[in-house]
Amino acid sequence: MVRKLKYHEKKLLKKVDFISWEVDNNLHEVKIMRKYHIQRREDYTKYNRLSREIREVAQSIKDLDVEDIVRTESTGRLLDKLFHLGLVPTKENLELCNKVTASSFCRRRLPVVMVRNHMAESIALATRFIEQGHVRVGPEVVMDPAFLVSRSMEDFVTWVNTSAIKKKVLDYNDLRDDFDMS
């Protein structure tokens, strides 16, 4: 049984909503972190800050005169950079920069790219594979699930040569060569 609240306690509780804090935007943050299996809250806040800065830069470019050469060069460079990072789908116009969110960065994380390439069934499983050292991007073994994969590096995500998972996949496809894999 809970005791009855005193007068001053009731007054204080009227001002506070424990379910949704407007300052934290906690429910949305937790939902995104769970969806993309983000383990550190700092990663999400960093993505959020970066996306806000991108939108601010895009807005400052929009504020320039339409015929200004600096505007066209800056727009081209910004869209080119965001396209190669994989944050925008095309290099069409500056309006795409307003759609860059923290989720855009989350979709470029290595576990999400692995799931998209059918290397793992779920993001949690892909995260476990990365932490155990089964995955490499190019020649480098990556053990950090927060690694962001650009469009050009997407094709170079593969298993480490000594990985047991790679052996199982090659055995299943009947492509394993006993000389190559020891």
Side-chain angles (χ1 to χ4, degrees):
M1 191 80 186
V2 178
R3 70 174 174 81
K4 186 177 177 185
L5 295 175
K6 296 178 182 174
Y7 176 77
H8 71 281
E9 292 172 332
K10 287 181 187 177
K11 289 290 268 186
L12 286 173
L13 284 177
K14 282 183 183 177
K15 297 178 182 176
V16 179
D17 182 14
F18 289 109
I19 305 300
S20 63
W21 293 69
E22 290 189 18
V23 176
D24 290 342
N25 195 9
N26 198 17
L27 295 177
H28 180 70
E29 184 175 332
V30 169
K31 182 177 146 186
I32 297 297
M33 287 178 63
R34 188 172 293 147
K35 178 179 178 181
Y36 293 108
H37 200 69
I38 299 173
Q39 295 149 328
R40 293 182 304 199
R41 181 179 230 99
E42 300 89 45
D43 289 339
Y44 179 79
T45 56
K46 189 183 302 180
Y47 300 149
N48 222 352
R49 189 184 41 174
L50 284 171
S51 62
R52 184 175 45 251
E53 288 176 4
I54 289 170
R55 289 191 299 269
E56 288 172 359
V57 167
Q59 186 59 45
S60 64
I61 291 173
K62 282 181 194 174
D63 292 341
L64 295 174
D65 188 29
V66 178
E67 284 88 27
D68 194 5
I69 269 186
V70 175
R71 177 181 171 147
T72 55
E73 288 177 2
S74 301
T75 301
R77 279 190 282 161
L78 179 64
L79 286 174
D80 192 47
K81 184 75 166 175
L82 294 177
F83 178 76
H84 287 298
L85 284 174
L87 300 176
V88 294
T90 61
K91 301 181 199 177
E92 286 179 13
N93 59 8
L94 211 51
E95 291 297 321
L96 294 172
C97 295
N98 290 334
K99 296 180 182 174
V100 174
T101 60
S103 295
S104 303
F105 283 96
C106 294
R107 284 190 290 270
R108 299 308 304 174
R109 288 169 56 98
L110 183 56
V112 178
V113 172
M114 285 178 61
V115 169
R116 200 177 321 125
N117 290 343
H118 304 290
M119 292 177 71
E121 290 183 11
S122 68
I123 296 174
L125 185 63
T127 303
R128 195 172 336 131
F129 288 157
I130 292 166
E131 289 171 344
Q132 292 172 354
H134 290 287
V135 181
R136 66 184 169 104
V137 178
E140 305 270 336
V141 176
V142 178
M143 298 186 75
D144 183 19
F147 184 82
L148 293 177
V149 181
S150 64
R151 283 186 199 271
S152 59
M153 292 303 290
E154 239 178 83
D155 297 333
F156 300 109
V157 176
T158 185
W159 302 110
V160 174
N161 289 335
T162 58
S163 173
I165 298 167
K166 182 175 182 174
K167 291 177 185 176
K168 292 281 186 187
V169 170
L170 291 176
D171 281 341
Y172 180 78
N173 292 330
D174 209 18
L175 297 173
R176 183 169 175 215
D177 186 10
D178 295 332
F179 180 74
D180 291 337
M181 309 263 309
S182 46

